[in-house]
Amino acid sequence: METEVVETPTRQRVVDLILNDGPQTAKQLADRLALTPAAVRRHLASLLDDGILASREERVYGPRGRGRPSKVFVLTDAGRAEFTQAYDDLAIAAIRRLQAVAGPNAIRELAHDRVEEIEQRYLQLRQDDPELGCLDALVEVLDLDGYAASVRPLRTGDQLLQHHCPVAHVAAEFPILCEIETQLFSRLLNSHVQRLATIAHGDGVCTTHVPHPLPTPQIPRRK
């Protein structure tokens, strides 16, 4: 008896790519799904109409080429709620089990392991592009990790914004994840940053204040 293969609908595959890999252009999605750009755009239009996705201008670091900037597509709060709940429930159950077996320090170690991956990518980027400022480098790394990050300049400093959080529901139950992430930001930027809002606590955007002035950027060494 042959086993029936159930293919994931293209709409779901589009959302999964953006959920797991962060903001994507229509061309990137088309290439990864082996579809025509026209076919992908039909799904994107439907997801935009349903409020699952939103579009914004792609951030470009360094000189911008000719032509109009590309649009990238990101998950909205409604999109996160619709498509991540099952994954989050499984993750929360696993972490509860870990805590029960190994104790509360295991959650802290897990949080440190998670941010260490971000730190290593940040250090590599700073090595590869020494002219890139530390805050810009952090934004780029977070953006690639699916946080839809950006910076809002203020008179007293900058606000680091994360418009999406891949672990929002998990962090709501285990706030140590946000605490360790904030400590990472402070260490990488060599600044006493302050977390003002988080998606995990019900805010629309994770907001971290980075006071001026930042120290002169130095290229850190990878561990």
Side-chain angles (χ1 to χ4, degrees):
M1 179 178 179
E2 294 184 359
T3 302
E4 181 181 359
V5 177
V6 180
E7 294 187 359
T8 304
T10 301
R11 175 187 170 100
Q12 179 69 58
R13 293 167 65 202
V14 168
V15 173
D16 286 344
L17 281 174
I18 295 173
L19 172 66
N20 295 320
D21 298 334
Q24 305 272 318
T25 66
K27 184 179 185 307
Q28 288 170 330
L29 290 167
D31 290 344
R32 298 185 66 179
L33 295 171
L35 297 172
T36 65
V40 167
R41 289 186 187 281
R42 286 196 295 272
H43 290 286
L44 290 173
S46 174
L47 290 164
L48 288 169
D49 289 342
D50 291 344
I52 302 301
L53 297 183
S55 65
R56 60 174 169 79
E57 182 179 315
E58 183 179 25
R59 281 183 289 277
V60 177
Y61 298 89
R64 185 188 293 276
R66 295 182 178 179
R68 298 176 60 185
S70 299
K71 283 185 178 181
V72 291
F73 296 88
V74 299
L75 274 179
T76 62
D77 291 341
R80 284 194 296 268
E82 180 173 342
F83 290 99
T84 65
Q85 190 65 51
Y87 298 113
D88 290 343
D89 289 347
L90 179 61
I92 289 171
I95 295 175
R96 284 175 181 165
R97 178 63 176 169
L98 174 65
Q99 186 174 28
V101 172
N105 283 338
I107 310 303
R108 181 176 293 273
E109 293 175 5
L110 178 66
H112 278 292
D113 289 344
R114 175 176 166 271
V115 300
E116 184 177 359
E117 296 179 4
I118 297 174
E119 182 173 8
Q120 291 303 314
R121 285 190 286 272
Y122 169 88
L123 296 177
Q124 184 62 61
L125 179 60
R126 293 293 310 284
Q127 291 281 352
D128 294 343
D129 189 354
E131 300 300 320
L132 188 62
C134 51
L135 184 55
D136 288 337
L138 180 56
V139 167
E140 184 168 343
V141 169
L142 291 173
D143 208 32
L144 291 173
D145 278 0
Y147 289 90
S150 65
V151 173
R152 177 190 297 156
L154 299 174
R155 183 177 58 84
T156 58
D158 293 296
Q159 283 188 347
L160 173 61
L161 306 175
Q162 294 159 265
H163 300 273
H164 173 58
C165 176
V167 295
H169 287 94
V170 180
E173 178 157 344
F174 302 98
I176 187 64
L177 296 177
C178 295
E179 295 174 20
I180 298 300
E181 184 182 80
T182 304
Q183 293 172 15
L184 173 71
F185 294 167
S186 184
R187 184 169 69 252
L188 296 182
L189 300 175
N190 193 20
S191 175
H192 183 63
V193 306
Q194 182 181 8
R195 183 60 63 87
L196 303 177
T198 64
I199 294 173
H201 292 160
D203 301 299
V205 178
C206 293
T207 306
T208 304
H209 181 67
V210 183
H212 278 165
L214 283 175
T216 302
Q218 297 180 350
I219 304 172
R221 294 183 178 180
R222 296 186 66 190
K223 295 179 181 179

